[in-house]
Structure formats: C-alpha cells, structure tokens
Amino acid sequence: MNPSRYEWSEINWVKCRSLVFKLQKRIYKASKCGDFSSVGKLQRLLVNSWSAKCLAVKRVTQSNKGRNTAGIDGVKSLNNQQKVSLINNLKFDGKALPTRRVWISKSGKKEKRPLGIPVIKDRALQALMHMALEPEWEARFEENSYGFRPGRGCQDAIDAIHTSLKAHSKYVLDADIAQCFDNIDHFALLEKINTFPKFRQQIKAWLQAGVIDGKTFSNSTSGVPQGGILSPLLVNIALHGLENTVKDWVENNVKLRYPSGSQKSRKEVRKSVSVIRYADEFLIMHFDYNVVLKCKQIATEFLAKMGLELKQAKTKICHTLSELNEPKPGFNFLGFEIRQHKVGKDQGGKLPGTSQHQRCKDYKTIIRPSKESVRKHYNDLKNGLKKRINQSIDTVIAFLNPRIKGWSNYYRHVVSSQVFRQIDDWLYHRYWRWCKRKHPNRGAKYLKRKYFEYGKNGNWVLTSKEKDELFYVTSHRDTAISRHIKVQQDKSPYDGDWLYWASRLGEYPQISPKVATLLKK
C-alpha cells in the first residue's frame, strides 16, 4: 500500500492485518529454529512496513481501553488527518518523552498503583515494537507462563494447577513479587532482550525517559512504566527462565523412588515439580516440603539478578490437603480458591512436613471462586444499586447485566453452581429493597407486577416493562458450568496452526470470521 494514496477511512484493515501476521509467523518460525539473524532482518522489515504502522496507530487511538488518557502533552485524541500524518512520521529515533504519572486505586485496598502514561507517538511506537518482539519471544517463553500472552489466560493457569494436583496432594509456594514493574534492573533487562542496536537504543530511551508527577520530574533508574503497551512483554521477558531454573535444580539434585525401591528417571523427577506463573505471581508445587523450601531459595536468587525480590507479606508455603501454617489448607490464586478435601472411609494421612503424600483416591480437588472475590463482586453490585435509586429500571439493568455476565463467565469453568445460586438469592433481596426505596408508598403486589417476572430457573427476576420487549436482569445461574480446555503447552497463535486457533478462539487473521465462528461452534 502506498500511504500517499490512502486516507484513514480507505485503509484496508483486513489486508494490513494479514500482511503483518505473515511477517510475525516468519519471525516466530525463525526464532523457534534459533536463526536470530533472520529474526532481526524480519523485525526490521516489519517495523518499516506501512501496514504495521497503520495497525499500531489504530490500536492506540481506537482499540485500547485507555486511548483517551493524555500524556504530558495533553493530547487525548487525533482526527483522521492527524492519524495519517502520525503513520507517515512513525520511526524509531532513540528518543522518548517522559511519562505522566497517574495514580489508580487498587481493588479493595487503600494503597494506590502508579501508572506511567506515554504520549500518543510513544504509545504507537511501543505498539509497533510489540508487534516485532512478541513473536520472537513467544517462540522462547516457557510452557507454564500464562500472563499477558496471546491465546492464554487465567483459566489456562487454573487448569494447569488442577492437572498438577490430580495425582498427589502437594506443598505449594504461593509467591508474589514486590513491586515487579517498578524494580526491574534496566541493564539486566536490556542484556536479556539482546536485540540489535536500534531496538536496544529505543527501549533504553523508554525505560530512562523519566516521570512527571504533577509538576515534579524524577529520573527512571529502574523498572518499566505501567501503562505502556510494551511493559507487560518486558516483564515477561525479565521473568523468563524462572520455571526452567527451578526444574533444572530439581532434576539434578532430587532423587525419587518408586514404591518398589527403583529410582525414577531424571525426566520423571523434573515433572514432579510444577512452576506456574501469571505475570508477577507464581506457584511452585511439590509433594516434599524441603524441596519447596529449596525452590523458594532458587527463585529468590533468580529474581535478585533482575533486581527483584519476593513480597514477604504475600508469600507463603501451604499444603493443599492438610493444615500447615494456615488455619485452613489450600490457597487462593487469581481469584480462585484451590483446596483438596478428604473423601472415603480412610481419611487419615501423613502429617505436613514429611515427604509422604496422599494418592488421589484419598481426596478430591475442588476449585471455586474465592470468598474475597465473591464479597467484592456482591458489594460492587450492591453499591451500584444504591447509587441508582433515582434512575430508571432500564439504566439499572444496563449497569447490572455486563457485570453479572462477565463475572459468571470468568468462574463458569470451576465448581461455581452453589456460589451462583447464593449470590442470586442475595441479589433478589437487594432488588426488592431497591424497589421499596424507589416507591415507599406502594404495596408488594404493585412492585411485583411492575418490576418482576417469573424466570426460567424458577426464581423471580428484575424486569423492565417500560418498552415493548421485556428487558431482564441476567442471573448468575443462567451461565452454564463447562470444563475449560487448557491451551496446549507448546502452542502459539503465531505457529500457523489456523485450524487449532480458529476453533479455539473463534477468530484468526488469515481466514474469514464466518469460517472461524463455524469452527468454534
């Protein structure tokens, strides 16, 4: 495509995405084969591509959730002519403007998280860099890394945990990295990325651009700015190698035997430890307490090389079946409660702290929404109803439905039926309370006739009857419970397996949306 011939409204986005995706697949293949000379050539070809620049500008001006947040220049949006001008002037020059500090509240906590918002041009350049670096590192990332990666999510991490706990009860190191984004060592990160000079110079400029908080400027001596498009990928690169480092130590230093007395192979010993990471949180699971303690030390030494350390307040060792240092066994991860329960007549077991472990016939692994997540979700809906006491029923339903559907879909792959019913029962009383407060002088029969209908699950649901068609509040129990199929460990959207990814995601850049949708169905 010739940029001088196209206006913004005339750009063929399907063709742009297809051309860029072809290059990304070639980068992935070259990186998988270890041909890093070809990787560099293809990356340079991609970042100089007009199609890639179009997609980068579109992402930061139209697609991203924070597209209307301004950097230090105060610019929030661009018109079509300015977008085309930005595309034509987009190139890496080794320079970067400081980011604007924005403080956002952490959910359910008093402390706040710092975000660094770059200007629109730097955001577009980061999106362009992300297109080039992501396929290279997708070919190299470890199997059980799930955060901020295409085609992977929280449900895949939870399913990996369930698979690891199917055969044995285990000790778990539940670890959190202290201020991961803010403390990464710049020199160590640049050495690990090990890219060609032009990319290295530009990444270094972004890392050391500085921060403006109000009217105060401060230098960036460590960390990557949260709020940048490239930041999650840089964090994954910094933490890459943690899983293999732990598994290598276990393989070379731990000896395990079968009940018959014969020694297990090195491959089986390596598989006995599980390392599952999602962004800056990770788990290390093994059925020997002393092995988990040593793995914690290995992980601490690995993180220290990147300028990071474990957050002691959130890092603990627990057991999935028996009480150890906590009043209850099990642990919480990504909003889920993972715990094992004894079943059958013989519910005895070895005490925690020993190398003995129970077989799967003695227990059942149950994963459900955590109590904190349930309480936070319910309070969010309850407070939203209170704030909308003077608004129409249509507005209230429009507020409730996306939150109920989103939360239910997140937890629909685990043991959630009872929790769904419980929240719906709580909310029914809240709906009735909202109606009573809105019409304090009306009786129950009037409120029931005006606001409620008998639902398909045998419960009364809040309904809008102001329009021709009934507008219902979605119930949590309307969401069917279904088992999540975990992504295959060595798969990536850049591997070219269009049949697998189209049937899994319902979309793929090089086939029509209609075909992808049919494959998923």
Side-chain angles (χ1 to χ4, degrees):
M1 292 191 210
N2 186 351
S4 62
R5 293 173 49 203
Y6 287 88
E7 296 294 334
W8 180 261
S9 59
E10 299 174 342
I11 296 174
N12 187 337
W13 296 110
V14 175
K15 188 175 181 180
C16 285
R17 186 71 190 102
S18 179
L19 291 172
V20 170
F21 191 70
K22 285 180 181 179
L23 281 175
Q24 289 178 315
K25 286 198 300 181
R26 292 175 64 187
I27 294 170
Y28 176 89
K29 185 177 180 180
S31 179
K32 199 77 172 175
C33 297
D35 185 2
F36 296 109
S37 174
S38 296
V39 168
K41 292 177 183 178
L42 291 168
Q43 286 175 334
R44 284 189 283 269
L45 183 62
L46 188 147
V47 298
N48 290 320
S49 162
W50 189 71
S51 295
K53 293 178 180 179
C54 289
L55 290 173
V57 173
K58 183 183 180 183
R59 178 177 178 180
V60 300
T61 58
Q62 290 184 195
S63 304
N64 277 7
K65 187 176 180 180
R67 59 187 177 274
N68 293 324
T69 306
I72 61 170
D73 57 359
V75 178
K76 291 184 177 181
S77 60
L78 303 178
N79 59 37
N80 289 348
Q81 186 177 357
Q82 290 171 327
K83 291 174 187 176
V84 174
S85 177
L86 179 58
I87 290 171
N88 296 329
N89 295 317
L90 211 58
K91 63 179 181 179
F92 299 117
D93 54 8
K95 300 176 182 179
L97 291 175
T99 59
R100 182 172 74 91
R101 174 72 78 218
V102 176
W103 295 90
I104 61 171
S105 300
K106 290 187 177 181
S107 57
K109 300 177 183 178
K110 294 183 180 179
E111 57 182 317
K112 293 188 176 182
R113 178 185 288 112
L115 294 184
I117 310 299
V119 297
I120 290 180
K121 182 181 178 181
D122 281 337
R123 274 183 260 176
L125 286 171
Q126 286 190 27
L128 191 61
M129 179 78 75
H130 188 275
M131 290 182 201
L133 287 181
E134 187 176 60
E136 174 195 353
W137 283 92
E138 275 296 306
R140 299 163 64 180
F141 279 145
E142 294 159 320
E143 297 174 347
N144 286 301
S145 165
Y146 297 99
F148 304 127
R149 292 184 60 187
R152 294 173 178 242
C154 300
Q155 283 72 25
D156 295 304
I158 297 301
D159 196 80
I161 295 171
H162 186 268
T163 302
S164 177
L165 296 175
K166 281 197 301 186
H168 302 292
S169 58
K170 294 184 178 180
Y171 294 93
V172 180
L173 170 65
D174 182 6
D176 191 6
I177 302 173
Q179 297 180 327
C180 181
F181 280 82
D182 300 329
N183 293 331
I184 293 176
D185 183 81
H186 288 170
F187 178 77
L189 177 60
L190 291 171
E191 286 295 309
K192 200 166 186 177
I193 296 174
N194 192 27
T195 187
F196 52 90
K198 190 173 185 179
F199 274 24
R200 178 190 173 95
Q201 184 181 10
Q202 187 62 60
I203 294 172
K204 184 178 180 180
W206 286 325
L207 294 175
Q208 300 180 353
V211 178
I212 294 180
D213 189 354
K215 296 183 179 180
T216 306
F217 173 82
S218 57
N219 290 314
S220 303
T221 56
S222 63
V224 296
Q226 295 188 59
I229 293 175
L230 194 62
S231 299
L233 177 61
L234 295 180
V235 169
N236 271 339
I237 294 173
L239 299 178
H240 171 65
L242 175 62
E243 179 181 352
N244 286 332
T245 301
V246 171
K247 288 196 168 189
D248 289 344
W249 181 88
V250 171
E251 180 181 356
N252 296 322
N253 295 277
V254 176
K255 294 183 179 180
L256 300 176
R257 296 185 180 277
Y258 290 106
S260 61
S262 59
Q263 188 168 318
K264 291 187 176 183
S265 67
R266 293 289 94 193
K267 186 177 181 180
E268 290 174 307
V269 173
R270 185 181 182 87
K271 287 184 177 180
S272 68
V273 63
S274 300
V275 182
I276 297 169
R277 182 175 66 82
Y278 191 93
D280 58 348
E281 300 179 48
F282 64 90
L283 304 172
I284 299 178
M285 297 184 284
H286 197 271
F287 49 76
D288 192 319
Y289 181 76
N290 295 321
V291 171
V292 174
L293 277 178
K294 183 61 180 178
C295 289
K296 179 181 178 181
Q297 180 183 342
I298 299 296
T300 302
E301 293 171 358
F302 174 87
L303 295 173
K305 295 177 183 178
M306 299 302 301
L308 301 171
E309 61 182 6
L310 296 177
K311 191 172 185 177
Q312 298 302 324
K314 289 188 176 181
T315 301
K316 64 178 182 180
I317 297 178
C318 60
H319 194 263
T320 55
L321 183 64
S322 306
E323 296 178 7
L324 188 58
N325 298 322
E326 299 291 326
K328 290 183 179 180
F331 59 96
N332 292 345
F333 190 66
L334 302 178
F336 295 86
E337 178 189 87
I338 297 99
R339 183 179 174 185
Q340 292 171 333
H341 299 266
K342 297 174 184 177
V343 297
K345 295 180 180 179
D346 183 13
Q347 295 186 1
K350 299 296 181 181
L351 293 174
T354 70
S355 60
Q356 301 290 338
H357 53 276
Q358 289 188 310
R359 298 284 180 177
C360 58
K361 64 180 181 180
D362 300 324
Y363 67 86
K364 180 177 286 188
T365 303
I366 301 294
I367 302 177
R368 57 168 62 94
S370 67
K371 292 180 180 178
E372 293 80 4
S373 178
V374 172
R375 182 168 56 248
K376 177 187 171 185
H377 175 60
Y378 175 67
N379 288 336
D380 177 42
L381 299 179
K382 181 181 71 174
N383 294 332
L385 281 169
K386 285 182 179 180
K387 292 178 181 178
R388 288 162 178 80
I389 189 63
N390 294 321
Q391 297 182 11
S392 68
I393 184 65
D394 286 340
T395 304
V396 171
I397 295 176
F399 163 78
L400 292 170
N401 276 350
R403 287 161 177 79
I404 292 174
K405 288 179 182 178
W407 196 88
S408 302
N409 284 332
Y410 183 76
Y411 289 105
R412 68 190 175 97
H413 302 297
V414 297
V415 185
S416 303
S417 295
Q418 184 177 354
V419 174
F420 286 174
R421 287 195 300 271
Q422 187 179 38
I423 298 176
D424 283 337
D425 291 342
W426 290 343
L427 287 176
Y428 171 77
H429 295 287
R430 283 288 162 186
Y431 298 155
W432 188 256
R433 193 170 179 176
W434 181 86
C435 295
K436 291 288 288 182
R437 291 181 64 188
K438 191 171 182 65
H439 304 281
N441 298 323
R442 291 287 189 171
K445 289 184 178 180
Y446 172 84
L447 298 179
K448 177 183 172 183
R449 187 171 59 252
K450 182 174 178 63
Y451 289 113
F452 290 91
E453 284 286 336
Y454 198 63
K456 62 181 180 180
N457 289 318
N459 58 321
W460 292 97
V461 295
L462 191 65
T463 310
S464 170
K465 302 178 182 179
E466 297 178 359
K467 298 181 180 179
D468 294 336
E469 296 183 1
L470 295 180
F471 188 22
Y472 293 95
V473 167
T474 301
S475 298
H476 292 79
R477 69 188 77 181
D478 291 341
T479 303
I481 304 298
S482 62
R483 180 66 185 272
H484 177 73
I485 300 175
K486 190 177 82 69
V487 64
Q488 294 180 16
Q489 291 183 330
D490 59 342
K491 301 296 289 184
S492 169
Y494 300 113
D495 60 13
D497 190 349
W498 64 269
L499 182 61
Y500 176 83
W501 288 106
S503 59
R504 181 175 179 85
L505 301 177
E507 59 179 2
Y508 200 72
Q510 292 183 310
I511 64 172
S512 68
K514 182 179 179 180
V515 172
T517 303
L518 290 172
L519 282 169
K520 186 172 183 179
K521 288 183 177 180

